[in-house]
Amino acid sequence: MTDPAEPAGPGPVGIVAGGGRLPLEVAEAVEATGRKVVLACIDGEADLALDHPEAHVFRWGQVGGAVDFMTARGARDVVFVGTITRRPDFKAMRLDAGAWRRVPKILRVLVGGDDSVVRRALALVEEEGFRVRGIAEVAPGLLVKSGTLGRCEPEPDDLADAALGMKALGALGPYDVGQAAVVTRGRVVAIEAAEGTDRMLERVVELRKAGRVREQGGVLVKRSKPGQDLRTELPTIGASTIAGVAAARLSGVYLEAGRTLVADRKGTIAAADAARLFLVAGTDGEEGP
Amino acid sequence: MTDPAEPAGPGPVGIVAGGGRLPLEVAEAVEATGRKVVLACIDGEADLALDHPEAHVFRWGQVGGAVDFMTARGARDVVFVGTITRRPDFKAMRLDAGAWRRVPKILRVLVGGDDSVVRRALALVEEEGFRVRGIAEVAPGLLVKSGTLGRCEPEPDDLADAALGMKALGALGPYDVGQAAVVTRGRVVAIEAAEGTDRMLERVVELRKAGRVREQGGVLVKRSKPGQDLRTELPTIGASTIAGVAAARLSGVYLEAGRTLVADRKGTIAAADAARLFLVAGTDGEEGP
């Protein structure tokens, strides 16, 4: 197993691509740093990533083929990018020779626990001789920088809510929980744990319906956990997050600068502008030195 | 307005009673301290409290009557206890003389915000010459003491989960959020904010269904916020909480000793025993001196 702390090397980056625009955006951002990419696209998920000239499709069962493909192209650094909406159908799966050899290990990972699965999957990939990298390592330009991303500006109340949310999430950091919170006018009304940001935003819609949140506006705050493995868990928003924020009748989104990501940046900013929501990155509410 | 810091006086305690067994339990616990009680029971809510010999029913519109009743009996300390399930129907309300005089103030409170409503309602009651007390002040014996309340004992894993939940909630304390959390085997999977404990437990049921929580067991932790106004927000569980914990397939409940309450203690403990859930109070996970 390689040392994950080793700096990203100069060869091509292998991108194991799921759905959405993010794999292509990562590919472009990696190429902008002067490195080549090869994309192993998951069949049925990575439709958009297929547009890339270096993209090849692999079914879930073709692990061996994907490994060989990336190895042959000289990719030692790999990143996992994009959404997976369908669970692999193991019955319909036709495993290639490479996969058969690896099946016992793969099954051990997939039938295991919950949180540890990701970590063990990474270890498995590293056993194959790859170094698993994060988007932050191979395409740091994609991380949001401090400032306003769209046309709308936050009000002072919004920034106060953002700072409160950042502080509350920061306090939870040591307990490995809380990448997001909703703050409405000085009151933390929702904190995300295992349910994810979309479900938390749906909860705010319900709280408003039930009259348990009556304050106008409010802010969705996204922050990475201290010590979080940004290779697999980079806090990310996209256009669907904006739709959830609009449904929850909040004023905008505050992202931790340098440690969060906006997928489909152009589309997401356009969605925020259209919904008159601010989209701001910064480090308000972080402890000073 | 009286000083809420003033110690509870020796006269009778006025109990403004809503639904459930808790008003009667508070009445008994107050009487056990040697003080008398008078109960102003909210019509349509406080059915059980009516069993008390000193109980009188008042409709929402009869604020003046309730105030006069408690004043005439010499009650200067009042506590608000019990559930309110129905919103008052202001159209159908027949206001008494005392209420008419107070209506502008009452309306101002009821149509106001959300969180501030309670505080302003308390201020209103104190303007009438009462001292609003908490259950902790007039019936400290009702608060849970350290130890096991039912027949089931927690396992070491459960106590580790409880300590983690207590710590995470403690970290959130300064941000006025989080009276409860669910921890499953070292992982905080849900944190309560504005939605309340019952909805949070329903979320854990959904998380299990979606396969996002797979760990066996786990613990519901309830903790009061530091600086919390225990007059109005004493963290409380009851038999319905136990039903929610059972539905979420947790192992039991951990309560902060001395600052939380078990309503219908006998029924709630019986429910926990029947569901084979532990019910423990303690101070695990609190910062040491």
Coordinates of all heavy atoms in Angstrom, one line a residue, chain A residues 71-158:
Chain A
T71 N -3.7 1.3 -15.6 CA -2.3 1.0 -15.4 C -1.6 1.2 -16.7 O -0.5 1.7 -16.8 CB -2.2 -0.5 -14.9 OG1 -3.0 -0.6 -13.7 CG2 -0.7 -0.8 -14.6
A72 N -2.2 0.7 -17.8 CA -1.6 0.8 -19.2 C -1.4 2.2 -19.6 O -0.4 2.5 -20.3 CB -2.5 0.1 -20.2
R73 N -2.2 3.1 -19.1 CA -2.1 4.5 -19.5 C -1.1 5.2 -18.5 O -0.9 6.4 -18.6 CB -3.4 5.2 -19.4 CG -4.5 4.7 -20.4 CD -4.0 4.7 -21.8 NE -5.0 4.1 -22.7 CZ -5.8 4.7 -23.5 NH1 -5.9 6.0 -23.5 NH2 -6.7 4.1 -24.2
G74 N -0.5 4.5 -17.6 CA 0.4 5.1 -16.7 C -0.1 5.9 -15.6 O 0.6 6.6 -14.9
A75 N -1.5 5.7 -15.3 CA -2.1 6.5 -14.2 C -1.8 5.8 -12.9 O -2.2 4.6 -12.7 CB -3.6 6.6 -14.5
R76 N -1.2 6.5 -12.0 CA -0.9 5.9 -10.7 C -1.8 6.6 -9.6 O -2.2 6.0 -8.6 CB 0.5 6.0 -10.3 CG 1.5 5.3 -11.3 CD 2.2 4.1 -10.6 NE 2.9 4.5 -9.4 CZ 2.9 3.8 -8.3 NH1 2.2 2.7 -8.2 NH2 3.6 4.3 -7.3
D77 N -2.1 7.9 -9.9 CA -3.0 8.6 -9.0 C -4.4 8.5 -9.5 O -4.7 8.7 -10.7 CB -2.6 10.1 -9.0 CG -1.3 10.4 -8.4 OD1 -0.9 9.6 -7.5 OD2 -0.7 11.4 -8.7
V78 N -5.3 8.1 -8.7 CA -6.7 8.0 -9.1 C -7.6 8.8 -8.2 O -7.3 9.0 -7.0 CB -7.3 6.5 -9.1 CG1 -6.5 5.7 -10.2 CG2 -7.2 5.9 -7.8
V79 N -8.7 9.4 -8.8 CA -9.7 10.1 -8.0 C -11.0 9.5 -8.3 O -11.3 9.0 -9.4 CB -9.8 11.6 -8.3 CG1 -8.6 12.3 -7.6 CG2 -9.8 11.9 -9.7
F80 N -11.9 9.5 -7.3 CA -13.3 9.0 -7.5 C -14.2 10.2 -7.5 O -14.2 11.0 -6.5 CB -13.7 8.1 -6.4 CG -12.9 6.7 -6.4 CD1 -11.6 6.7 -5.9 CD2 -13.5 5.6 -6.9 CE1 -10.9 5.5 -6.0 CE2 -12.9 4.4 -6.9 CZ -11.6 4.3 -6.5
V81 N -14.9 10.4 -8.6 CA -15.7 11.6 -8.8 C -17.0 11.3 -9.4 O -17.1 10.5 -10.3 CB -15.0 12.7 -9.7 CG1 -15.7 14.0 -9.7 CG2 -13.5 12.8 -9.3
G82 N -18.1 12.0 -8.8 CA -19.4 11.9 -9.5 C -20.4 11.1 -8.6 O -20.0 10.4 -7.6
T83 N -21.6 11.1 -9.1 CA -22.7 10.4 -8.3 C -22.9 9.0 -8.8 O -22.7 8.7 -9.9 CB -24.0 11.2 -8.5 OG1 -24.3 11.3 -9.9 CG2 -23.9 12.6 -7.9
I84 N -23.3 8.2 -7.8 CA -23.7 6.8 -8.1 C -25.2 6.7 -7.7 O -25.5 6.8 -6.5 CB -22.9 5.8 -7.3 CG1 -21.4 5.9 -7.6 CG2 -23.4 4.3 -7.7 CD1 -21.0 5.6 -9.0
T85 N -26.1 6.5 -8.7 CA -27.5 6.5 -8.3 C -28.1 5.1 -8.2 O -29.1 4.9 -7.5 CB -28.4 7.4 -9.3 OG1 -28.1 6.8 -10.6 CG2 -28.0 8.8 -9.3
R86 N -27.5 4.2 -8.9 CA -28.0 2.9 -8.9 C -27.1 1.9 -8.2 O -25.8 2.0 -8.4 CB -28.2 2.4 -10.4 CG -29.5 2.8 -11.0 CD -29.4 2.7 -12.5 NE -28.7 3.8 -13.1 CZ -28.7 4.1 -14.4 NH1 -29.4 3.3 -15.2 NH2 -28.1 5.1 -14.9
R87 N -27.6 1.1 -7.4 CA -26.8 0.0 -6.7 C -26.4 -1.0 -7.8 O -27.3 -1.4 -8.6 CB -27.5 -0.6 -5.6 CG -27.7 0.2 -4.4 CD -28.3 -0.6 -3.2 NE -27.3 -1.6 -2.8 CZ -26.8 -1.6 -1.6 NH1 -27.2 -0.6 -0.7 NH2 -26.0 -2.5 -1.2
P88 N -25.2 -1.5 -7.8 CA -24.9 -2.5 -8.8 C -25.7 -3.7 -8.6 O -26.0 -4.1 -7.5 CB -23.4 -2.8 -8.5 CG -23.1 -2.2 -7.2 CD -24.1 -1.1 -7.0
D89 N -26.2 -4.3 -9.7 CA -27.0 -5.5 -9.7 C -26.0 -6.7 -9.8 O -25.6 -7.1 -10.9 CB -28.0 -5.5 -10.8 CG -28.8 -6.8 -10.8 OD1 -28.5 -7.7 -10.0 OD2 -29.7 -6.9 -11.7
F90 N -25.7 -7.3 -8.6 CA -24.7 -8.3 -8.6 C -25.1 -9.6 -9.3 O -24.3 -10.3 -9.8 CB -24.3 -8.7 -7.1 CG -23.5 -7.6 -6.5 CD1 -24.1 -6.8 -5.5 CD2 -22.2 -7.3 -6.8 CE1 -23.4 -5.7 -4.9 CE2 -21.5 -6.3 -6.3 CZ -22.1 -5.5 -5.3
K91 N -26.4 -9.8 -9.4 CA -26.9 -11.0 -10.1 C -26.6 -10.9 -11.6 O -26.2 -11.8 -12.3 CB -28.4 -11.2 -9.8 CG -28.6 -11.9 -8.5 CD -30.1 -12.1 -8.3 CE -30.4 -12.3 -6.8 NZ -31.8 -11.9 -6.5
A92 N -26.9 -9.7 -12.1 CA -26.8 -9.5 -13.6 C -25.4 -9.2 -14.0 O -25.0 -9.1 -15.2 CB -27.7 -8.3 -14.0
M93 N -24.5 -9.1 -13.0 CA -23.1 -8.7 -13.2 C -22.3 -9.8 -14.0 O -22.4 -11.0 -13.6 CB -22.5 -8.5 -11.9 CG -21.4 -7.4 -12.0 SD -20.9 -7.1 -10.3 CE -21.8 -5.6 -9.9
R94 N -21.6 -9.4 -15.0 CA -20.7 -10.4 -15.6 C -19.3 -10.0 -15.3 O -18.8 -9.0 -15.8 CB -21.0 -10.4 -17.1 CG -22.4 -10.8 -17.5 CD -22.7 -10.6 -18.9 NE -21.8 -11.4 -19.7 CZ -21.8 -11.4 -21.1 NH1 -22.7 -10.7 -21.7 NH2 -21.0 -12.1 -21.8
L95 N -18.7 -10.7 -14.4 CA -17.4 -10.3 -13.9 C -16.3 -10.7 -14.9 O -16.3 -11.8 -15.4 CB -17.1 -11.0 -12.5 CG -18.1 -10.5 -11.4 CD1 -17.9 -11.4 -10.2 CD2 -18.0 -9.1 -11.1
D96 N -15.4 -9.8 -15.1 CA -14.2 -10.2 -16.0 C -13.2 -10.9 -15.2 O -13.3 -11.1 -14.0 CB -13.7 -8.9 -16.7 CG -13.0 -8.0 -15.7 OD1 -12.8 -8.3 -14.5 OD2 -12.6 -6.9 -16.2
A97 N -12.1 -11.3 -15.9 CA -11.1 -12.2 -15.2 C -10.5 -11.4 -14.0 O -10.4 -12.0 -12.9 CB -10.0 -12.5 -16.2
G98 N -10.2 -10.2 -14.2 CA -9.6 -9.4 -13.1 C -10.5 -9.3 -12.0 O -10.1 -9.3 -10.8
A99 N -11.8 -9.1 -12.3 CA -12.8 -9.0 -11.2 C -12.9 -10.3 -10.4 O -13.0 -10.3 -9.2 CB -14.2 -8.6 -11.7
W100 N -13.0 -11.4 -11.1 CA -13.1 -12.7 -10.4 C -12.0 -12.9 -9.4 O -12.3 -13.3 -8.3 CB -13.0 -13.9 -11.5 CG -14.4 -14.2 -12.0 CD1 -14.8 -14.2 -13.3 CD2 -15.6 -14.5 -11.3 NE1 -16.1 -14.5 -13.5 CE2 -16.6 -14.7 -12.2 CE3 -15.8 -14.7 -9.9 CZ2 -17.9 -15.0 -11.8 CZ3 -17.1 -15.1 -9.5 CH2 -18.1 -15.2 -10.5
R101 N -10.8 -12.5 -9.8 CA -9.7 -12.7 -8.9 C -9.9 -11.8 -7.7 O -9.5 -12.2 -6.5 CB -8.4 -12.2 -9.6 CG -7.1 -12.4 -8.9 CD -5.9 -12.4 -9.9 NE -5.9 -11.2 -10.8 CZ -5.5 -10.0 -10.5 NH1 -5.1 -9.8 -9.2 NH2 -5.5 -9.0 -11.4
R102 N -10.5 -10.6 -7.9 CA -10.7 -9.7 -6.7 C -12.0 -9.8 -6.0 O -12.2 -9.1 -5.0 CB -10.6 -8.3 -7.3 CG -9.2 -8.0 -7.9 CD -9.1 -6.7 -8.6 NE -7.8 -6.4 -9.2 CZ -7.4 -6.7 -10.4 NH1 -8.3 -7.3 -11.2 NH2 -6.2 -6.4 -10.8
V103 N -12.9 -10.7 -6.5 CA -14.2 -10.8 -6.0 C -14.3 -11.0 -4.4 O -15.1 -10.3 -3.8 CB -15.1 -11.8 -6.7 CG1 -16.2 -12.3 -5.8 CG2 -15.7 -11.1 -7.9
P104 N -13.5 -11.9 -3.9 CA -13.6 -12.1 -2.5 C -13.4 -10.8 -1.7 O -14.1 -10.4 -0.8 CB -12.5 -13.1 -2.2 CG -12.3 -13.8 -3.5 CD -12.6 -12.8 -4.5
K105 N -12.4 -10.0 -2.1 CA -12.1 -8.8 -1.5 C -13.2 -7.7 -1.7 O -13.7 -7.1 -0.7 CB -10.8 -8.1 -2.1 CG -9.5 -8.7 -1.6 CD -8.4 -7.9 -2.1 CE -7.1 -8.6 -1.9 NZ -6.0 -7.9 -2.6
I106 N -13.7 -7.7 -2.9 CA -14.8 -6.7 -3.2 C -16.0 -7.0 -2.4 O -16.6 -6.1 -1.8 CB -15.1 -6.7 -4.7 CG1 -13.9 -6.3 -5.5 CG2 -16.4 -5.9 -5.0 CD1 -14.1 -6.5 -7.0
L107 N -16.4 -8.3 -2.3 CA -17.6 -8.6 -1.5 C -17.4 -8.3 -0.1 O -18.3 -7.8 0.6 CB -17.9 -10.1 -1.7 CG -18.5 -10.5 -3.1 CD1 -18.8 -12.0 -3.1 CD2 -19.8 -9.7 -3.3
R108 N -16.2 -8.6 0.4 CA -15.9 -8.3 1.8 C -16.2 -6.8 2.1 O -16.7 -6.4 3.1 CB -14.5 -8.7 2.2 CG -14.5 -9.6 3.4 CD -13.0 -10.0 3.7 NE -12.4 -10.7 2.6 CZ -11.2 -10.5 2.2 NH1 -10.4 -9.6 2.7 NH2 -10.7 -11.3 1.2
V109 N -15.8 -5.9 1.2 CA -16.0 -4.5 1.3 C -17.5 -4.2 1.2 O -18.1 -3.4 2.1 CB -15.2 -3.7 0.3 CG1 -15.7 -2.3 0.2 CG2 -13.8 -3.7 0.7
L110 N -18.2 -4.7 0.2 CA -19.6 -4.3 -0.1 C -20.6 -4.8 0.9 O -21.6 -4.1 1.2 CB -20.0 -4.7 -1.5 CG -19.3 -4.0 -2.6 CD1 -19.5 -4.7 -3.9 CD2 -19.7 -2.5 -2.7
V111 N -20.3 -5.9 1.5 CA -21.3 -6.4 2.5 C -20.9 -6.0 3.9 O -21.6 -6.4 4.9 CB -21.4 -8.0 2.5 CG1 -21.8 -8.4 1.1 CG2 -20.1 -8.6 2.9
G112 N -19.9 -5.2 4.1 CA -19.4 -4.8 5.4 C -20.3 -3.8 6.0 O -21.5 -3.7 5.8
G113 N -19.7 -2.9 6.9 CA -20.5 -1.9 7.6 C -20.9 -0.8 6.7 O -21.2 -1.0 5.5
D114 N -20.8 0.4 7.2 CA -21.3 1.5 6.4 C -20.1 2.5 6.2 O -19.7 2.7 5.1 CB -22.4 2.2 7.2 CG -23.5 2.7 6.3 OD1 -23.6 2.2 5.2 OD2 -24.1 3.7 6.7
D115 N -19.7 3.1 7.3 CA -18.6 4.1 7.2 C -17.3 3.5 6.8 O -16.5 4.1 6.0 CB -18.5 4.7 8.5 CG -19.3 6.0 8.6 OD1 -20.1 6.2 7.7 OD2 -19.1 6.8 9.6
S116 N -17.0 2.3 7.3 CA -15.7 1.7 7.1 C -15.6 1.3 5.6 O -14.5 1.1 5.1 CB -15.5 0.5 8.0 OG -16.6 -0.4 7.9
V117 N -16.8 1.1 4.9 CA -16.7 0.6 3.6 C -15.8 1.5 2.7 O -15.0 1.0 1.9 CB -18.1 0.5 3.0 CG1 -18.1 0.3 1.5 CG2 -18.9 -0.6 3.6
V118 N -16.1 2.8 2.8 CA -15.3 3.7 1.9 C -13.8 3.6 2.2 O -13.0 3.4 1.3 CB -15.8 5.1 2.1 CG1 -14.9 6.1 1.3 CG2 -17.2 5.3 1.7
R119 N -13.5 3.6 3.5 CA -12.1 3.5 3.8 C -11.4 2.2 3.3 O -10.3 2.2 2.8 CB -11.9 3.6 5.4 CG -11.5 4.9 5.9 CD -11.1 4.9 7.3 NE -12.3 4.4 8.2 CZ -13.2 5.2 8.6 NH1 -13.2 6.5 8.3 NH2 -14.2 4.8 9.3
R120 N -12.2 1.1 3.5 CA -11.7 -0.2 3.0 C -11.6 -0.3 1.5 O -10.7 -0.9 0.9 CB -12.5 -1.3 3.6 CG -12.2 -1.5 5.1 CD -12.8 -2.8 5.7 NE -14.2 -2.6 5.8 CZ -15.1 -3.6 5.8 NH1 -14.6 -4.9 5.7 NH2 -16.4 -3.4 5.9
A121 N -12.5 0.4 0.8 CA -12.5 0.4 -0.6 C -11.2 1.1 -1.1 O -10.6 0.7 -2.0 CB -13.7 1.0 -1.2
L122 N -10.9 2.2 -0.4 CA -9.7 3.0 -0.8 C -8.5 2.1 -0.6 O -7.6 2.1 -1.4 CB -9.6 4.2 0.1 CG -10.6 5.3 -0.1 CD1 -10.3 6.6 0.7 CD2 -10.8 5.7 -1.6
A123 N -8.5 1.4 0.6 CA -7.3 0.6 0.9 C -7.1 -0.5 -0.2 O -6.0 -0.8 -0.7 CB -7.5 -0.1 2.2
L124 N -8.3 -1.0 -0.7 CA -8.3 -2.1 -1.7 C -7.6 -1.5 -3.0 O -6.8 -2.2 -3.6 CB -9.7 -2.4 -2.0 CG -10.1 -3.9 -2.0 CD1 -11.6 -4.1 -2.0 CD2 -9.4 -4.7 -3.1
V125 N -8.1 -0.3 -3.4 CA -7.5 0.3 -4.6 C -6.0 0.6 -4.4 O -5.3 0.4 -5.4 CB -8.3 1.6 -4.9 CG1 -7.6 2.4 -6.0 CG2 -9.8 1.3 -5.2
E126 N -5.6 1.0 -3.2 CA -4.2 1.2 -3.0 C -3.4 -0.1 -3.0 O -2.2 -0.1 -3.4 CB -4.0 2.0 -1.7 CG -4.8 3.4 -1.8 CD -4.3 4.4 -0.9 OE1 -4.0 4.1 0.3 OE2 -4.2 5.6 -1.4
E127 N -4.0 -1.2 -2.6 CA -3.4 -2.5 -2.7 C -3.0 -2.8 -4.2 O -2.1 -3.5 -4.5 CB -4.2 -3.6 -2.2 CG -4.1 -3.8 -0.7 CD -5.1 -4.8 -0.2 OE1 -5.3 -5.8 -0.9 OE2 -5.7 -4.7 0.9
E128 N -3.8 -2.3 -5.1 CA -3.6 -2.5 -6.5 C -2.5 -1.7 -7.1 O -2.2 -1.7 -8.3 CB -4.9 -2.3 -7.3 CG -6.1 -3.1 -7.0 CD -5.9 -4.5 -7.6 OE1 -5.1 -4.7 -8.5 OE2 -6.7 -5.4 -7.2
G129 N -1.9 -0.9 -6.2 CA -0.8 -0.1 -6.6 C -1.1 1.4 -7.0 O -0.2 2.1 -7.4
F130 N -2.4 1.8 -6.8 CA -2.7 3.1 -7.1 C -2.6 4.0 -5.8 O -2.7 3.5 -4.7 CB -4.2 3.2 -7.6 CG -4.4 2.5 -8.9 CD1 -5.1 1.3 -9.0 CD2 -3.9 3.1 -10.1 CE1 -5.3 0.7 -10.2 CE2 -4.1 2.5 -11.3 CZ -4.8 1.3 -11.3
R131 N -2.5 5.3 -6.0 CA -2.6 6.2 -4.9 C -3.9 7.0 -5.1 O -4.2 7.6 -6.1 CB -1.4 7.3 -5.0 CG -0.1 6.7 -4.6 CD 1.0 7.7 -4.9 NE 1.0 8.0 -6.4 CZ 2.1 8.2 -7.1 NH1 3.3 8.1 -6.6 NH2 2.0 8.5 -8.4
V132 N -4.8 6.8 -4.1 CA -6.1 7.5 -4.1 C -5.9 9.0 -3.8 O -5.4 9.3 -2.7 CB -7.1 6.8 -3.2 CG1 -8.4 7.6 -3.3 CG2 -7.3 5.4 -3.6
R133 N -6.3 9.8 -4.7 CA -6.1 11.3 -4.4 C -7.5 11.9 -4.2 O -8.5 11.3 -4.6 CB -5.4 11.9 -5.6 CG -4.0 11.4 -5.9 CD -3.1 11.6 -4.7 NE -1.7 11.1 -5.0 CZ -0.8 11.1 -4.1 NH1 -1.0 11.6 -2.9 NH2 0.4 10.7 -4.4
G134 N -7.5 13.1 -3.7 CA -8.7 13.9 -3.6 C -8.7 15.0 -4.7 O -7.7 15.3 -5.2
I135 N -9.9 15.5 -4.9 CA -10.0 16.6 -5.9 C -9.1 17.7 -5.4 O -8.5 18.4 -6.2 CB -11.5 17.0 -6.0 CG1 -12.3 15.9 -6.6 CG2 -11.6 18.3 -6.9 CD1 -13.8 16.1 -6.6
A136 N -9.1 17.9 -4.1 CA -8.3 19.0 -3.6 C -6.8 18.9 -4.0 O -6.1 19.9 -4.1 CB -8.5 19.1 -2.1
E137 N -6.4 17.7 -4.2 CA -4.9 17.4 -4.5 C -4.6 17.6 -5.9 O -3.7 18.2 -6.4 CB -4.5 16.0 -4.0 CG -4.5 15.8 -2.5 CD -4.3 14.4 -2.1 OE1 -5.3 13.6 -2.4 OE2 -3.2 14.0 -1.6
V138 N -5.5 17.0 -6.8 CA -5.2 17.0 -8.2 C -5.8 18.2 -9.0 O -5.4 18.5 -10.1 CB -5.7 15.7 -8.9 CG1 -4.9 14.5 -8.3 CG2 -7.2 15.5 -8.8
A139 N -6.8 18.8 -8.4 CA -7.4 19.9 -9.0 C -7.8 21.0 -8.0 O -9.0 21.3 -7.8 CB -8.7 19.5 -9.8
P140 N -6.8 21.5 -7.3 CA -7.1 22.5 -6.2 C -7.9 23.7 -6.7 O -8.6 24.3 -5.9 CB -5.7 22.9 -5.7 CG -4.7 22.5 -6.7 CD -5.4 21.3 -7.5
G141 N -7.8 24.0 -8.0 CA -8.5 25.2 -8.5 C -10.0 25.1 -8.5 O -10.7 26.1 -8.5
L142 N -10.5 23.8 -8.3 CA -11.9 23.7 -8.2 C -12.5 24.1 -6.9 O -13.7 24.3 -6.8 CB -12.3 22.2 -8.5 CG -12.5 21.8 -10.0 CD1 -13.0 20.4 -10.0 CD2 -13.5 22.7 -10.7
L143 N -11.7 24.1 -5.8 CA -12.2 24.4 -4.5 C -12.6 25.9 -4.5 O -12.0 26.7 -5.1 CB -11.2 24.1 -3.4 CG -10.7 22.7 -3.4 CD1 -9.7 22.5 -2.3 CD2 -11.9 21.8 -3.2
V144 N -13.7 26.2 -3.8 CA -14.2 27.6 -3.8 C -13.2 28.5 -3.0 O -12.6 28.1 -2.0 CB -15.6 27.7 -3.2 CG1 -16.6 27.0 -4.1 CG2 -15.6 27.2 -1.7
K145 N -13.1 29.7 -3.6 CA -12.2 30.7 -2.9 C -13.1 31.7 -2.2 O -14.3 31.9 -2.6 CB -11.4 31.4 -4.0 CG -10.3 30.5 -4.5 CD -9.6 31.2 -5.7 CE -8.7 30.2 -6.4 NZ -9.4 29.1 -7.1
S146 N -12.6 32.4 -1.2 CA -13.4 33.4 -0.5 C -14.0 34.4 -1.5 O -13.3 34.9 -2.4 CB -12.5 34.2 0.5 OG -12.3 33.3 1.6
G147 N -15.2 34.8 -1.3 CA -15.9 35.8 -2.1 C -17.3 35.4 -2.5 O -17.8 34.3 -2.2
T148 N -17.9 36.3 -3.2 CA -19.3 36.1 -3.7 C -19.2 35.4 -5.1 O -18.5 35.9 -5.9 CB -20.0 37.4 -3.8 OG1 -20.0 38.1 -2.5 CG2 -21.5 37.2 -4.2
L149 N -19.9 34.3 -5.2 CA -19.9 33.5 -6.5 C -20.9 34.0 -7.5 O -20.7 33.9 -8.6 CB -20.0 32.0 -6.2 CG -18.7 31.3 -5.7 CD1 -18.6 31.5 -4.2 CD2 -18.8 29.8 -6.1
G150 N -22.0 34.4 -7.0 CA -23.1 34.8 -7.9 C -23.3 36.3 -7.9 O -22.5 37.1 -7.6
R151 N -24.6 36.7 -8.3 CA -24.9 38.1 -8.4 C -25.4 38.7 -7.1 O -25.4 39.9 -6.8 CB -26.0 38.3 -9.5 CG -25.4 38.6 -10.8 CD -26.4 39.3 -11.7 NE -27.7 38.7 -11.8 CZ -28.1 37.8 -12.7 NH1 -27.3 37.4 -13.6 NH2 -29.3 37.3 -12.6
C152 N -26.0 37.8 -6.2 CA -26.7 38.3 -5.0 C -25.7 38.4 -3.9 O -24.8 37.6 -3.7 CB -27.8 37.3 -4.6 SG -29.1 37.2 -5.8
E153 N -25.8 39.5 -3.1 CA -24.9 39.7 -1.9 C -25.7 39.4 -0.7 O -26.9 39.6 -0.6 CB -24.5 41.1 -1.9 CG -23.6 41.6 -3.0 CD -22.1 41.0 -2.8 OE1 -21.8 40.5 -1.7 OE2 -21.4 41.0 -3.8
P154 N -25.0 38.8 0.3 CA -25.7 38.6 1.6 C -25.9 39.9 2.4 O -25.1 40.8 2.2 CB -24.7 37.6 2.4 CG -23.4 37.9 1.8 CD -23.6 38.3 0.3
E155 N -26.9 39.9 3.2 CA -27.2 41.0 4.1 C -26.4 40.7 5.4 O -25.9 39.6 5.6 CB -28.7 41.0 4.5 CG -29.6 41.2 3.3 CD -29.6 42.6 2.7 OE1 -29.3 43.5 3.5 OE2 -29.8 42.7 1.5
P156 N -26.2 41.8 6.2 CA -25.5 41.5 7.5 C -26.1 40.4 8.4 O -25.4 39.6 9.0 CB -25.6 42.9 8.2 CG -25.8 43.9 7.1 CD -26.6 43.2 6.0
D157 N -27.4 40.3 8.4 CA -28.1 39.2 9.1 C -27.7 37.9 8.6 O -27.5 36.9 9.4 CB -29.6 39.3 8.9 CG -30.3 40.2 9.9 OD1 -29.6 40.8 10.7 OD2 -31.5 40.3 9.9
D158 N -27.5 37.8 7.3 CA -27.1 36.5 6.7 C -25.7 36.1 7.1 O -25.4 35.0 7.4 CB -27.1 36.6 5.2 CG -28.5 36.9 4.6 OD1 -29.5 36.3 5.2 OD2 -28.6 37.7 3.7

